[in-house]
Amino acid sequence: MKNANENAIQITLNNTKFLATLFNNKAASDFILLLPLTLTLTDYAATEKVSDLPKRLTTTDAPAGYKPSAGDITYYAPWGNLAIFYKGFGYAGGLVPLGKIINGIEHFKVAGSLQVTMELIAQ
């Protein structure tokens, strides 16, 4: 069941649809304003898929950093990019949690780039 303070999004990858929730924070609210969004995700450190965003997100009230786990959707403030983790990783300063992929994270654990479309699901 979805928390009333979270927004549901759909991520489409190769005609397969995955569900995710975005957290109730200022960076996630900024991200929602960019949706729908089509991104090319590239592999980084065999741990995450990353992509530049069309604009930087606010980090007001964001934690100093975050320790991501598989499925986490995050914003790396120093570079201004989106990062979707398909493996866990250690604490990283400047990493802001945006949300969590509910199902299908294993589809992101492939070599090379992926094109995804992210869109808000009507409330």
Side-chain angles (χ1 to χ4, degrees), residues 22-64:
L22 293 180
F23 302 140
N24 184 20
N25 63 40
K26 290 179 182 179
S29 294
D30 243 13
F31 181 68
I32 288 169
L33 296 176
L34 300 177
L35 301 178
L37 190 61
T38 298
L39 299 170
T40 299
L41 301 172
T42 56
D43 203 62
Y44 186 78
T47 302
E48 60 190 290
K49 296 290 189 191
V50 300
S51 179
D52 290 334
L53 292 174
K55 75 173 205 66
R56 289 190 168 264
L57 305 179
T58 185
T59 56
T60 303
D61 299 330

Side-chain angles (χ1 to χ4, degrees), residues 13-14 41-44 46 48-49 86 105-114:
L13 167 65
N14 298 328
L41 301 172
T42 56
D43 203 62
Y44 186 78
E48 60 190 290
K49 296 290 189 191
Y86 58 82
I105 191 61
E106 66 276 5
H107 295 275
F108 291 79
K109 190 178 179 179
V110 295
S113 298
L114 301 172

Side-chain angles (χ1 to χ4, degrees), residues 46-101:
T47 302
E48 60 190 290
K49 296 290 189 191
V50 300
S51 179
D52 290 334
L53 292 174
K55 75 173 205 66
R56 289 190 168 264
L57 305 179
T58 185
T59 56
T60 303
D61 299 330
Y66 183 70
K67 183 180 191 277
S69 58
D72 282 346
I73 302 169
T74 64
Y75 174 65
Y76 188 57
W79 293 351
N81 68 345
L82 186 75
I84 298 176
F85 285 83
Y86 58 82
K87 288 183 182 175
F89 190 73
Y91 177 90
L95 195 63
V96 179
L98 297 178
K100 185 87 170 171
I101 294 176

